[in-house]
Amino acid sequence: MLDQRRKQLLDAMGIRRWVRRDLPVQVSPEPVLEDVQPVGDLQPSPSGESPAKDWDALRTQVAACEKCALHASRTQTVFGTGDRTAELLIIGEAPGADEDRQGEPFVGRAGKLLDQMLLAAGYERDMVYIANILKCRPPNNRNPASDEILACSGYLAAQIAMIRPKAILSVGAISATSLLQTDLSVGRLRGEVHYFGERRIPLIVTYHPAYLLRQPAQKPSAWLDLQLLMRVLRGAA
Ligand code: URA
Ligand code: SF4
């Protein structure tokens, strides 16, 4: 991509300066999550039907799912969107109000910033796959509860197994702590390559775009994370 184009995209992301990789990055601590239980390898939850192994069947199964209490308050499930054969899988937290209304992940304000972040990394939205840890909106956008994450985890595991991405970008604390079975903050987890699951899919953690909208000073760090992701996808990290 031309430097000029990338500069425009970084401006759109709200990053006005190039960041030197050799400079230490100031990271202010994110709130630590208290009620998130790790979900292992995102194995199918012990109770209930196992996730379908065929994409359309899985989508149908999710649309009718009542495995956790969130089914009662959702408008519709939000399965995921994009290229089912994508090399890059983005995993967010859960649908918000806009996503619950439209049935698609990351369509609100945070989604617009995510689109710009992806473009800065050289990806149109439809070139990647975008999914969430939870397929239903938690009421009032509260944090997902650990039993909800566990109940939903088999669906995401099935999606990952079918997409077989070359890399995963985990955005935000709920996504990162659930996928990596840790309670460390995003500030601690970002900046290095993790590996997800038995297939050891390279996984990069970065800030959630909604957090970046509140804390724009962290955008240069997010850009460093995207650069690391690009190196991983090129096979250079
Ligand atoms: N935030 C998320 O984590 N996912 C969405 O789909 C929308 C907002
Ligand atoms: Fe089912 Fe997941 Fe929705 Fe809970 S959040 S009802 S487990 S699809």
Side-chain angles (χ1 to χ4, degrees), residues 27-36 143 172-174 177 183-188 207 211 214-215 218:
V27 177
S28 65
E30 248 192 314
V32 176
L33 298 161
E34 272 155 23
D35 72 338
V36 175
N143 276 347
I174 295 286
T177 55
D183 57 8
L184 292 176
S185 67
V186 171
R188 293 284 298 280
Y207 295 109
Y211 175 76
R214 297 193 305 274
Q215 301 286 339
Q218 298 295 1

mmCIF file of all heavy atoms in Angstrom, residues 27-36 143 172-174 177 183-188 207 211 214-215 218:
data_model
loop_
_atom_site.group_PDB
_atom_site.id
_atom_site.type_symbol
_atom_site.label_atom_id
_atom_site.label_comp_id
_atom_site.label_asym_id
_atom_site.label_seq_id
_atom_site.Cartn_x
_atom_site.Cartn_y
_atom_site.Cartn_z
ATOM 1 N N VAL A 27 1.666 2.399 28.412
ATOM 2 C CA VAL A 27 0.361 1.737 28.434
ATOM 3 C C VAL A 27 -0.312 2.003 29.769
ATOM 4 O O VAL A 27 0.198 1.625 30.814
ATOM 5 C CB VAL A 27 0.522 0.212 28.244
ATOM 6 C CG1 VAL A 27 -0.819 -0.479 28.352
ATOM 7 C CG2 VAL A 27 1.160 -0.076 26.892
ATOM 8 N N SER A 28 -1.443 2.691 29.712
ATOM 9 C CA SER A 28 -2.155 2.897 30.971
ATOM 10 C C SER A 28 -3.018 1.675 31.227
ATOM 11 O O SER A 28 -3.588 1.106 30.311
ATOM 12 C CB SER A 28 -3.005 4.151 30.900
ATOM 13 O OG SER A 28 -4.007 3.995 29.936
ATOM 14 N N PRO A 29 -3.098 1.243 32.466
ATOM 15 C CA PRO A 29 -3.793 -0.013 32.727
ATOM 16 C C PRO A 29 -5.266 0.070 32.386
ATOM 17 O O PRO A 29 -5.908 1.082 32.614
ATOM 18 C CB PRO A 29 -3.589 -0.226 34.228
ATOM 19 C CG PRO A 29 -3.105 1.072 34.766
ATOM 20 C CD PRO A 29 -2.559 1.884 33.639
ATOM 21 N N GLU A 30 -5.751 -1.003 31.794
ATOM 22 C CA GLU A 30 -7.181 -1.113 31.519
ATOM 23 C C GLU A 30 -7.835 -1.686 32.755
ATOM 24 O O GLU A 30 -7.188 -2.394 33.513
ATOM 25 C CB GLU A 30 -7.365 -2.133 30.396
ATOM 26 C CG GLU A 30 -7.848 -1.551 29.124
ATOM 27 C CD GLU A 30 -8.258 -2.678 28.210
ATOM 28 O OE1 GLU A 30 -7.508 -3.659 28.080
ATOM 29 O OE2 GLU A 30 -9.338 -2.584 27.647
ATOM 30 N N PRO A 31 -9.110 -1.449 32.934
ATOM 31 C CA PRO A 31 -9.758 -2.079 34.079
ATOM 32 C C PRO A 31 -9.602 -3.596 34.026
ATOM 33 O O PRO A 31 -9.715 -4.193 32.962
ATOM 34 C CB PRO A 31 -11.225 -1.689 33.919
ATOM 35 C CG PRO A 31 -11.336 -0.913 32.657
ATOM 36 C CD PRO A 31 -9.987 -0.636 32.131
ATOM 37 N N VAL A 32 -9.284 -4.183 35.133
ATOM 38 C CA VAL A 32 -9.120 -5.640 35.168
ATOM 39 C C VAL A 32 -10.494 -6.275 35.350
ATOM 40 O O VAL A 32 -11.321 -5.793 36.108
ATOM 41 C CB VAL A 32 -8.177 -6.040 36.320
ATOM 42 C CG1 VAL A 32 -8.081 -7.555 36.439
ATOM 43 C CG2 VAL A 32 -6.802 -5.456 36.096
ATOM 44 N N LEU A 33 -10.721 -7.332 34.616
ATOM 45 C CA LEU A 33 -12.033 -7.985 34.672
ATOM 46 C C LEU A 33 -12.081 -8.911 35.854
ATOM 47 O O LEU A 33 -11.128 -9.608 36.140
ATOM 48 C CB LEU A 33 -12.227 -8.797 33.402
ATOM 49 C CG LEU A 33 -12.212 -7.934 32.174
ATOM 50 C CD1 LEU A 33 -11.934 -8.771 30.966
ATOM 51 C CD2 LEU A 33 -13.531 -7.227 32.044
ATOM 52 N N GLU A 34 -13.181 -8.899 36.510
ATOM 53 C CA GLU A 34 -13.249 -9.719 37.705
ATOM 54 C C GLU A 34 -14.023 -11.018 37.542
ATOM 55 O O GLU A 34 -13.722 -12.003 38.175
ATOM 56 C CB GLU A 34 -13.847 -8.913 38.851
ATOM 57 C CG GLU A 34 -12.744 -8.165 39.576
ATOM 58 C CD GLU A 34 -13.241 -6.951 40.285
ATOM 59 O OE1 GLU A 34 -14.430 -6.920 40.591
ATOM 60 O OE2 GLU A 34 -12.421 -6.046 40.508
ATOM 61 N N ASP A 35 -15.027 -10.989 36.662
ATOM 62 C CA ASP A 35 -15.894 -12.171 36.681
ATOM 63 C C ASP A 35 -15.724 -13.030 35.435
ATOM 64 O O ASP A 35 -16.614 -13.751 35.044
ATOM 65 C CB ASP A 35 -17.356 -11.758 36.844
ATOM 66 C CG ASP A 35 -17.899 -11.112 35.594
ATOM 67 O OD1 ASP A 35 -17.065 -10.617 34.810
ATOM 68 O OD2 ASP A 35 -19.112 -11.124 35.402
ATOM 69 N N VAL A 36 -14.563 -12.924 34.795
ATOM 70 C CA VAL A 36 -14.384 -13.725 33.585
ATOM 71 C C VAL A 36 -13.627 -14.999 33.887
ATOM 72 O O VAL A 36 -12.512 -14.970 34.381
ATOM 73 C CB VAL A 36 -13.615 -12.927 32.514
ATOM 74 C CG1 VAL A 36 -13.328 -13.793 31.309
ATOM 75 C CG2 VAL A 36 -14.429 -11.724 32.116
ATOM 76 N N ASN A 143 -20.910 -6.585 30.863
ATOM 77 C CA ASN A 143 -19.909 -7.590 30.506
ATOM 78 C C ASN A 143 -20.557 -8.966 30.414
ATOM 79 O O ASN A 143 -21.432 -9.288 31.220
ATOM 80 C CB ASN A 143 -18.814 -7.671 31.578
ATOM 81 C CG ASN A 143 -17.740 -6.621 31.369
ATOM 82 O OD1 ASN A 143 -17.661 -5.990 30.321
ATOM 83 N ND2 ASN A 143 -16.914 -6.432 32.387
ATOM 84 N N GLY A 172 -9.932 -6.604 22.585
ATOM 85 C CA GLY A 172 -10.528 -6.315 23.881
ATOM 86 C C GLY A 172 -10.306 -7.395 24.916
ATOM 87 O O GLY A 172 -9.945 -8.531 24.612
ATOM 88 N N ALA A 173 -10.573 -7.015 26.154
ATOM 89 C CA ALA A 173 -10.233 -7.870 27.294
ATOM 90 C C ALA A 173 -11.078 -9.138 27.352
ATOM 91 O O ALA A 173 -10.561 -10.217 27.651
ATOM 92 C CB ALA A 173 -10.399 -7.079 28.585
ATOM 93 N N ILE A 174 -12.363 -9.042 27.074
ATOM 94 C CA ILE A 174 -13.212 -10.235 27.152
ATOM 95 C C ILE A 174 -12.743 -11.273 26.137
ATOM 96 O O ILE A 174 -12.608 -12.463 26.449
ATOM 97 C CB ILE A 174 -14.691 -9.872 26.886
ATOM 98 C CG1 ILE A 174 -15.230 -8.950 27.978
ATOM 99 C CG2 ILE A 174 -15.541 -11.128 26.722
ATOM 100 C CD1 ILE A 174 -15.515 -9.617 29.298
ATOM 101 N N THR A 177 -9.049 -12.547 27.211
ATOM 102 C CA THR A 177 -8.987 -13.384 28.418
ATOM 103 C C THR A 177 -9.711 -14.706 28.201
ATOM 104 O O THR A 177 -9.313 -15.735 28.726
ATOM 105 C CB THR A 177 -9.578 -12.658 29.649
ATOM 106 O OG1 THR A 177 -10.906 -12.238 29.357
ATOM 107 C CG2 THR A 177 -8.747 -11.466 30.040
ATOM 108 N N ASP A 183 -6.193 -13.981 33.146
ATOM 109 C CA ASP A 183 -6.873 -12.772 33.601
ATOM 110 C C ASP A 183 -5.968 -11.549 33.458
ATOM 111 O O ASP A 183 -6.227 -10.496 34.037
ATOM 112 C CB ASP A 183 -7.387 -12.927 35.038
ATOM 113 C CG ASP A 183 -6.281 -13.284 36.011
ATOM 114 O OD1 ASP A 183 -5.100 -13.263 35.591
ATOM 115 O OD2 ASP A 183 -6.591 -13.572 37.175
ATOM 116 N N LEU A 184 -4.926 -11.687 32.657
ATOM 117 C CA LEU A 184 -4.057 -10.534 32.414
ATOM 118 C C LEU A 184 -4.791 -9.485 31.582
ATOM 119 O O LEU A 184 -5.701 -9.801 30.818
ATOM 120 C CB LEU A 184 -2.789 -10.981 31.673
ATOM 121 C CG LEU A 184 -1.816 -11.864 32.469
ATOM 122 C CD1 LEU A 184 -0.655 -12.310 31.585
ATOM 123 C CD2 LEU A 184 -1.309 -11.116 33.699
ATOM 124 N N SER A 185 -4.362 -8.245 31.713
ATOM 125 C CA SER A 185 -5.001 -7.149 30.973
ATOM 126 C C SER A 185 -4.523 -7.143 29.521
ATOM 127 O O SER A 185 -3.476 -7.714 29.189
ATOM 128 C CB SER A 185 -4.649 -5.819 31.619
ATOM 129 O OG SER A 185 -3.258 -5.581 31.448
ATOM 130 N N VAL A 186 -5.266 -6.457 28.679
ATOM 131 C CA VAL A 186 -4.850 -6.306 27.281
ATOM 132 C C VAL A 186 -3.480 -5.638 27.213
ATOM 133 O O VAL A 186 -2.625 -6.008 26.411
ATOM 134 C CB VAL A 186 -5.890 -5.476 26.483
ATOM 135 C CG1 VAL A 186 -5.370 -5.131 25.092
ATOM 136 C CG2 VAL A 186 -7.198 -6.243 26.382
ATOM 137 N N GLY A 187 -3.268 -4.656 28.101
ATOM 138 C CA GLY A 187 -1.979 -3.969 28.130
ATOM 139 C C GLY A 187 -0.818 -4.924 28.332
ATOM 140 O O GLY A 187 0.277 -4.719 27.806
ATOM 141 N N ARG A 188 -1.066 -6.001 29.100
ATOM 142 C CA ARG A 188 -0.020 -6.996 29.332
ATOM 143 C C ARG A 188 0.061 -8.020 28.201
ATOM 144 O O ARG A 188 1.121 -8.601 27.956
ATOM 145 C CB ARG A 188 -0.293 -7.745 30.647
ATOM 146 C CG ARG A 188 -0.172 -6.891 31.885
ATOM 147 C CD ARG A 188 1.280 -6.624 32.257
ATOM 148 N NE ARG A 188 1.988 -7.869 32.562
ATOM 149 C CZ ARG A 188 1.909 -8.502 33.724
ATOM 150 N NH1 ARG A 188 1.177 -8.000 34.688
ATOM 151 N NH2 ARG A 188 2.569 -9.623 33.913
ATOM 152 N N TYR A 207 -6.307 -3.602 21.685
ATOM 153 C CA TYR A 207 -7.394 -2.934 22.379
ATOM 154 C C TYR A 207 -8.695 -3.018 21.577
ATOM 155 O O TYR A 207 -8.667 -3.022 20.349
ATOM 156 C CB TYR A 207 -7.042 -1.457 22.624
ATOM 157 C CG TYR A 207 -5.876 -1.295 23.557
ATOM 158 C CD1 TYR A 207 -4.641 -0.867 23.107
ATOM 159 C CD2 TYR A 207 -6.024 -1.595 24.906
ATOM 160 C CE1 TYR A 207 -3.565 -0.732 23.963
ATOM 161 C CE2 TYR A 207 -4.955 -1.467 25.776
ATOM 162 C CZ TYR A 207 -3.731 -1.041 25.294
ATOM 163 O OH TYR A 207 -2.671 -0.917 26.149
ATOM 164 N N TYR A 211 -12.819 0.839 23.299
ATOM 165 C CA TYR A 211 -11.867 1.366 24.283
ATOM 166 C C TYR A 211 -11.008 2.457 23.635
ATOM 167 O O TYR A 211 -10.744 3.503 24.238
ATOM 168 C CB TYR A 211 -11.004 0.211 24.807
ATOM 169 C CG TYR A 211 -9.897 0.614 25.751
ATOM 170 C CD1 TYR A 211 -10.167 0.948 27.071
ATOM 171 C CD2 TYR A 211 -8.567 0.629 25.323
ATOM 172 C CE1 TYR A 211 -9.142 1.310 27.940
ATOM 173 C CE2 TYR A 211 -7.539 0.982 26.179
ATOM 174 C CZ TYR A 211 -7.831 1.326 27.486
ATOM 175 O OH TYR A 211 -6.817 1.682 28.341
ATOM 176 N N ARG A 214 -12.594 5.725 23.562
ATOM 177 C CA ARG A 214 -12.545 6.425 24.860
ATOM 178 C C ARG A 214 -11.128 6.842 25.220
ATOM 179 O O ARG A 214 -10.921 7.784 25.970
ATOM 180 C CB ARG A 214 -13.082 5.518 25.979
ATOM 181 C CG ARG A 214 -14.536 5.130 25.843
ATOM 182 C CD ARG A 214 -15.063 4.502 27.144
ATOM 183 N NE ARG A 214 -14.303 3.355 27.620
ATOM 184 C CZ ARG A 214 -14.496 2.098 27.219
ATOM 185 N NH1 ARG A 214 -15.418 1.835 26.324
ATOM 186 N NH2 ARG A 214 -13.762 1.113 27.686
ATOM 187 N N GLN A 215 -10.157 6.091 24.744
ATOM 188 C CA GLN A 215 -8.743 6.330 25.097
ATOM 189 C C GLN A 215 -7.921 6.466 23.819
ATOM 190 O O GLN A 215 -7.112 5.587 23.495
ATOM 191 C CB GLN A 215 -8.177 5.145 25.899
ATOM 192 C CG GLN A 215 -8.909 4.833 27.186
ATOM 193 C CD GLN A 215 -8.603 5.851 28.275
ATOM 194 O OE1 GLN A 215 -7.581 6.548 28.209
ATOM 195 N NE2 GLN A 215 -9.474 5.948 29.255
ATOM 196 N N GLN A 218 -4.208 5.519 23.119
ATOM 197 C CA GLN A 218 -3.722 4.146 22.928
ATOM 198 C C GLN A 218 -3.719 3.727 21.458
ATOM 199 O O GLN A 218 -3.291 2.616 21.132
ATOM 200 C CB GLN A 218 -4.585 3.150 23.715
ATOM 201 C CG GLN A 218 -4.560 3.359 25.208
ATOM 202 C CD GLN A 218 -3.191 3.104 25.818
ATOM 203 O OE1 GLN A 218 -2.227 2.776 25.121
ATOM 204 N NE2 GLN A 218 -3.099 3.269 27.111
#
